[in-house]
Amino acid sequence: MEHKNSVEFLVRGRYALFTDPLTKIGGEKFTYQVPTYQALKGIIESIYWKPTIQWYIDEVRIMNQIRTQSIGIRAPHYKDTKNDLSIYTYLKDVEYQVRAHFEWNENRPDLANDRNENKHWLIAKRMIEKGGRRDVFLGTRECQAEVEPCVFGESSSDYDNVDLSFGMMVHGITYADEAYNEETKGKMSVRLWNPVMKNGIIAFIRPEDCEIVRPIKKMTMKEFVNGVNFQSVENEEIN
């Protein structure tokens, strides 16, 4: 489903690491086969974000064949100067088409004066053309990525006419300022789901539609003051 204020972009990189949390126990990391909702949300937030809006990832299209590469990493100890050799397994030569849209963050009524839908949308599209406001990476900081505009569904994919199920995966994290019901207010929570790819496309469910949600810890919302740690969109240039 395409929304009025949706954006479409292509993101590509030499490596990606969407870490399966089950593999972190021994200090090693193994990637999921496909990006999580949270990883893609982090990408669009690196491109353009304001606390007034909340980004929702609608769909991702897997363009390149899913391949992995294992690399030895010397991970430093936390308590001394020694290090251990760990194996990180990355996705290699990835490319994704992404469709997303934003909605007002109803947890931020104090920023209601910043709700200029057209200007937020125009700035977001402009930032996609520029490659993002901040560094864009695929899962982890060492996996740098490039972003550019695209038409979702255009050009061929290695997974056209292919359907796959990926089992239980992390959908994303709900922070205190993104709470959608009483159970998620004042907390950080993790969401799980079962993604299915159809014709190379994964259609994401909304955070509130995830049936498996687990609280992690208590959390308070950050305060924003216009002119101090926040600038209204009305004071920004589209270009």
PDB file of all heavy atoms in Angstrom, residues 33-47:
ATOM      1  N   GLN A  33      19.279 -13.305   7.078  1.00  0.00           N
ATOM      2  CA  GLN A  33      19.348 -13.358   5.618  1.00  0.00           C
ATOM      3  C   GLN A  33      18.817 -12.080   4.962  1.00  0.00           C
ATOM      4  O   GLN A  33      19.195 -11.748   3.839  1.00  0.00           O
ATOM      5  CB  GLN A  33      18.559 -14.560   5.091  1.00  0.00           C
ATOM      6  CG  GLN A  33      19.172 -15.915   5.470  1.00  0.00           C
ATOM      7  CD  GLN A  33      18.288 -17.062   5.034  1.00  0.00           C
ATOM      8  OE1 GLN A  33      17.241 -17.309   5.621  1.00  0.00           O
ATOM      9  NE2 GLN A  33      18.700 -17.746   3.990  1.00  0.00           N
ATOM     10  N   VAL A  34      17.940 -11.391   5.661  1.00  0.00           N
ATOM     11  CA  VAL A  34      17.311 -10.184   5.121  1.00  0.00           C
ATOM     12  C   VAL A  34      17.311  -9.097   6.196  1.00  0.00           C
ATOM     13  O   VAL A  34      17.422  -9.391   7.384  1.00  0.00           O
ATOM     14  CB  VAL A  34      15.859 -10.466   4.658  1.00  0.00           C
ATOM     15  CG1 VAL A  34      15.852 -11.383   3.439  1.00  0.00           C
ATOM     16  CG2 VAL A  34      15.021 -11.054   5.789  1.00  0.00           C
ATOM     17  N   PRO A  35      17.181  -7.845   5.801  1.00  0.00           N
ATOM     18  CA  PRO A  35      17.179  -6.763   6.798  1.00  0.00           C
ATOM     19  C   PRO A  35      15.931  -6.778   7.662  1.00  0.00           C
ATOM     20  O   PRO A  35      14.849  -7.160   7.207  1.00  0.00           O
ATOM     21  CB  PRO A  35      17.243  -5.496   5.938  1.00  0.00           C
ATOM     22  CG  PRO A  35      16.700  -5.896   4.614  1.00  0.00           C
ATOM     23  CD  PRO A  35      17.094  -7.322   4.419  1.00  0.00           C
ATOM     24  N   THR A  36      16.092  -6.370   8.893  1.00  0.00           N
ATOM     25  CA  THR A  36      14.954  -6.256   9.794  1.00  0.00           C
ATOM     26  C   THR A  36      14.259  -4.911   9.575  1.00  0.00           C
ATOM     27  O   THR A  36      14.819  -3.985   8.983  1.00  0.00           O
ATOM     28  CB  THR A  36      15.409  -6.331  11.258  1.00  0.00           C
ATOM     29  OG1 THR A  36      16.286  -5.225  11.536  1.00  0.00           O
ATOM     30  CG2 THR A  36      16.130  -7.634  11.544  1.00  0.00           C
ATOM     31  N   TYR A  37      13.033  -4.832  10.065  1.00  0.00           N
ATOM     32  CA  TYR A  37      12.284  -3.567  10.038  1.00  0.00           C
ATOM     33  C   TYR A  37      13.089  -2.471  10.723  1.00  0.00           C
ATOM     34  O   TYR A  37      13.187  -1.351  10.214  1.00  0.00           O
ATOM     35  CB  TYR A  37      10.947  -3.795  10.746  1.00  0.00           C
ATOM     36  CG  TYR A  37      10.041  -2.591  10.860  1.00  0.00           C
ATOM     37  CD1 TYR A  37       8.977  -2.415   9.984  1.00  0.00           C
ATOM     38  CD2 TYR A  37      10.210  -1.650  11.881  1.00  0.00           C
ATOM     39  CE1 TYR A  37       8.123  -1.316  10.101  1.00  0.00           C
ATOM     40  CE2 TYR A  37       9.374  -0.562  12.007  1.00  0.00           C
ATOM     41  CZ  TYR A  37       8.323  -0.399  11.105  1.00  0.00           C
ATOM     42  OH  TYR A  37       7.482   0.681  11.226  1.00  0.00           O
ATOM     43  N   GLN A  38      13.685  -2.807  11.870  1.00  0.00           N
ATOM     44  CA  GLN A  38      14.417  -1.803  12.650  1.00  0.00           C
ATOM     45  C   GLN A  38      15.647  -1.301  11.904  1.00  0.00           C
ATOM     46  O   GLN A  38      15.972  -0.113  11.965  1.00  0.00           O
ATOM     47  CB  GLN A  38      14.831  -2.385  13.999  1.00  0.00           C
ATOM     48  CG  GLN A  38      15.353  -1.361  14.989  1.00  0.00           C
ATOM     49  CD  GLN A  38      14.261  -0.412  15.470  1.00  0.00           C
ATOM     50  OE1 GLN A  38      13.104  -0.796  15.536  1.00  0.00           O
ATOM     51  NE2 GLN A  38      14.637   0.799  15.809  1.00  0.00           N
ATOM     52  N   ALA A  39      16.347  -2.199  11.194  1.00  0.00           N
ATOM     53  CA  ALA A  39      17.528  -1.787  10.440  1.00  0.00           C
ATOM     54  C   ALA A  39      17.157  -0.819   9.330  1.00  0.00           C
ATOM     55  O   ALA A  39      17.841   0.187   9.105  1.00  0.00           O
ATOM     56  CB  ALA A  39      18.231  -3.015   9.868  1.00  0.00           C
ATOM     57  N   LEU A  40      16.067  -1.100   8.627  1.00  0.00           N
ATOM     58  CA  LEU A  40      15.622  -0.211   7.556  1.00  0.00           C
ATOM     59  C   LEU A  40      15.099   1.106   8.119  1.00  0.00           C
ATOM     60  O   LEU A  40      15.287   2.167   7.519  1.00  0.00           O
ATOM     61  CB  LEU A  40      14.540  -0.903   6.724  1.00  0.00           C
ATOM     62  CG  LEU A  40      15.003  -2.162   5.976  1.00  0.00           C
ATOM     63  CD1 LEU A  40      13.825  -2.855   5.319  1.00  0.00           C
ATOM     64  CD2 LEU A  40      16.065  -1.808   4.937  1.00  0.00           C
ATOM     65  N   LYS A  41      14.464   1.044   9.277  1.00  0.00           N
ATOM     66  CA  LYS A  41      14.003   2.268   9.939  1.00  0.00           C
ATOM     67  C   LYS A  41      15.197   3.136  10.334  1.00  0.00           C
ATOM     68  O   LYS A  41      15.163   4.370  10.222  1.00  0.00           O
ATOM     69  CB  LYS A  41      13.176   1.897  11.165  1.00  0.00           C
ATOM     70  CG  LYS A  41      12.503   3.063  11.886  1.00  0.00           C
ATOM     71  CD  LYS A  41      11.492   2.530  12.891  1.00  0.00           C
ATOM     72  CE  LYS A  41      10.833   3.644  13.675  1.00  0.00           C
ATOM     73  NZ  LYS A  41      11.709   4.158  14.748  1.00  0.00           N
ATOM     74  N   GLY A  42      16.266   2.489  10.780  1.00  0.00           N
ATOM     75  CA  GLY A  42      17.480   3.231  11.110  1.00  0.00           C
ATOM     76  C   GLY A  42      18.084   3.912   9.892  1.00  0.00           C
ATOM     77  O   GLY A  42      18.626   5.018   9.995  1.00  0.00           O
ATOM     78  N   ILE A  43      17.954   3.274   8.724  1.00  0.00           N
ATOM     79  CA  ILE A  43      18.477   3.865   7.494  1.00  0.00           C
ATOM     80  C   ILE A  43      17.697   5.120   7.128  1.00  0.00           C
ATOM     81  O   ILE A  43      18.280   6.175   6.848  1.00  0.00           O
ATOM     82  CB  ILE A  43      18.436   2.838   6.348  1.00  0.00           C
ATOM     83  CG1 ILE A  43      19.485   1.739   6.591  1.00  0.00           C
ATOM     84  CG2 ILE A  43      18.689   3.514   5.005  1.00  0.00           C
ATOM     85  CD1 ILE A  43      19.411   0.587   5.620  1.00  0.00           C
ATOM     86  N   ILE A  44      16.364   5.042   7.128  1.00  0.00           N
ATOM     87  CA  ILE A  44      15.575   6.213   6.754  1.00  0.00           C
ATOM     88  C   ILE A  44      15.712   7.323   7.801  1.00  0.00           C
ATOM     89  O   ILE A  44      15.671   8.505   7.475  1.00  0.00           O
ATOM     90  CB  ILE A  44      14.085   5.841   6.528  1.00  0.00           C
ATOM     91  CG1 ILE A  44      13.301   7.019   5.953  1.00  0.00           C
ATOM     92  CG2 ILE A  44      13.433   5.329   7.797  1.00  0.00           C
ATOM     93  CD1 ILE A  44      13.787   7.531   4.627  1.00  0.00           C
ATOM     94  N   GLU A  45      15.925   6.958   9.065  1.00  0.00           N
ATOM     95  CA  GLU A  45      16.146   7.980  10.088  1.00  0.00           C
ATOM     96  C   GLU A  45      17.508   8.646   9.922  1.00  0.00           C
ATOM     97  O   GLU A  45      17.674   9.814  10.295  1.00  0.00           O
ATOM     98  CB  GLU A  45      16.005   7.369  11.478  1.00  0.00           C
ATOM     99  CG  GLU A  45      14.572   7.034  11.842  1.00  0.00           C
ATOM    100  CD  GLU A  45      14.422   6.440  13.224  1.00  0.00           C
ATOM    101  OE1 GLU A  45      15.453   6.008  13.800  1.00  0.00           O
ATOM    102  OE2 GLU A  45      13.284   6.391  13.737  1.00  0.00           O
ATOM    103  N   SER A  46      18.488   7.922   9.376  1.00  0.00           N
ATOM    104  CA  SER A  46      19.782   8.537   9.070  1.00  0.00           C
ATOM    105  C   SER A  46      19.655   9.481   7.881  1.00  0.00           C
ATOM    106  O   SER A  46      20.382  10.469   7.785  1.00  0.00           O
ATOM    107  CB  SER A  46      20.833   7.464   8.775  1.00  0.00           C
ATOM    108  OG  SER A  46      21.144   6.714   9.934  1.00  0.00           O
ATOM    109  N   ILE A  47      18.742   9.167   6.984  1.00  0.00           N
ATOM    110  CA  ILE A  47      18.504  10.033   5.828  1.00  0.00           C
ATOM    111  C   ILE A  47      17.812  11.319   6.269  1.00  0.00           C
ATOM    112  O   ILE A  47      18.237  12.420   5.940  1.00  0.00           O
ATOM    113  CB  ILE A  47      17.662   9.294   4.773  1.00  0.00           C
ATOM    114  CG1 ILE A  47      18.460   8.104   4.204  1.00  0.00           C
ATOM    115  CG2 ILE A  47      17.234  10.239   3.646  1.00  0.00           C
ATOM    116  CD1 ILE A  47      17.641   7.174   3.339  1.00  0.00           C
TER     117      ILE A  47
END
